[in-house]
Amino acid sequence: MALFNLGTIGTTPVVRNNFTLTTSDPTDVFQFRIGSTKNINLTVTDISVGDPELLLFRDNGNGIFDANDQSVDLSTRSSNRDESINNQENTGTYFAQVIRGAASSGTISYDFAVSATTPNSTSDLSNLLPKEVELGNLSADINQFGSVADFDTADVYQFSLGSFEGVNITLSGLTSDADIRLIQDFNNNRIVDANEVVASSTRGGTTSDVISNITSSGNYFLQVNQFIGNTSFNLTFDHFTTTFA
């Protein structure tokens, strides 16, 4: 097992690329600290092959990754799909463990990223872009159902628009406040950089959020963010055709 101490983390993502898991070295552990209550954002992306899993633990106070650490959350999507965790957690030391799944074969390569952002914020949001739900190229209306809460503060949907296509996006059915923003990852680094947020909607309370008339072709990430409380939601992608490319 390899352990990497990342120190105290904040809004700026800490990224470690091109890590590998093998049969002889099947586990990597990333240790980090948050200095106040934060939304911890973790991703494992660009997975080559196999089925790695992502787990989050809270240190029991001895500063050592061991069996007495508290299990916080895990992400176990099948095959080589992106793994992600977004949790609101208190001050402390944490361990993110990336392990080689039992069904894996060969060497797995992956990229790891972590950031810590501000709860109950409309500006300091998760800035990592895992492909949690892949919708592909939109060619018809799509309805999705999900939820955000302290134990899942952000959901990310990836889709694309072709020429002569557009979309209106609505977040509805809220029982607590959540918001949406639309992102184009121009440099493909899976991080929300400056000038990559195309549009956003941050209406207060349980009012539906709407992003309208997106007509530029390309790849997009739609991020649903918890503002406060726990809520399920309906997310509607209203597809339409245009007369221009």
Side-chain angles (χ1 to χ4, degrees), residues 18-231:
N18 300 316
F19 274 68
T20 58
L21 302 173
T22 65
T23 54
S24 60
D25 186 13
T27 303
D28 289 334
V29 176
F30 300 88
Q31 178 179 339
F32 61 89
R33 179 173 176 80
I34 54 174
S36 60
T37 299
K38 294 288 186 179
N39 289 342
I40 295 175
N41 313 298
L42 298 166
T43 59
V44 174
T45 59
D46 294 322
I47 302 163
S48 59
V49 293
D51 186 14
E53 299 175 352
L54 173 64
L55 300 89
L56 178 63
F57 297 87
R58 180 183 173 89
D59 180 35
N60 63 5
N62 65 2
I64 300 171
F65 182 55
D66 57 34
N68 294 318
D69 293 325
Q70 177 189 355
S71 176
V72 175
D73 204 353
L74 74 165
S75 177
T76 59
R77 295 186 176 92
S78 61
S79 188
N80 65 336
R81 296 171 60 202
D82 292 352
E83 304 290 356
S84 63
I85 292 174
N86 301 93
N87 278 28
Q88 185 180 134
E89 300 295 339
N90 296 325
T91 303
T93 296
Y94 293 83
F95 300 98
Q97 182 185 36
V98 185
I99 62 175
R100 191 173 181 274
S104 300
S105 61
T107 298
I108 299 171
S109 65
Y110 68 92
D111 296 342
F112 172 86
V114 57
S115 68
T117 49
T118 305
N120 314 130
S121 172
T122 58
S123 57
D124 188 19
L125 302 169
S126 173
N127 42 22
L128 306 183
L129 294 174
K131 296 179 181 178
E132 293 180 325
V133 181
E134 297 183 65
L135 302 178
N137 179 255
L138 294 187
S139 58
D141 296 348
I142 294 179
N143 295 317
Q144 295 284 308
F145 302 94
S147 62
V148 286
D150 290 349
F151 53 86
D152 182 16
T153 58
D155 286 346
V156 180
Y157 298 78
Q158 188 273 334
F159 69 93
S160 62
L161 289 175
S163 299
F164 306 104
E165 291 184 313
V167 67
N168 300 314
I169 303 169
T170 302
L171 180 74
S172 61
L174 301 174
T175 56
S176 293
D177 195 355
D179 303 305
I180 53 176
R181 63 177 182 170
L182 189 64
I183 300 146
Q184 283 195 283
D185 184 23
F186 294 117
N187 58 4
N188 296 312
N189 68 351
R190 310 298 289 278
I191 293 171
V192 184
D193 294 310
N195 303 316
E196 290 186 338
V197 177
V198 175
S200 62
S201 178
T202 58
R203 295 174 178 173
T206 59
T207 303
S208 296
D209 283 287
V210 179
I211 292 175
S212 299
N213 203 35
I214 302 300
T215 57
S216 297
S217 61
N219 296 315
Y220 292 89
F221 292 88
L222 190 283
Q223 189 179 64
V224 181
N225 293 290
Q226 178 206 38
F227 181 72
I228 193 168
N230 305 333
T231 182

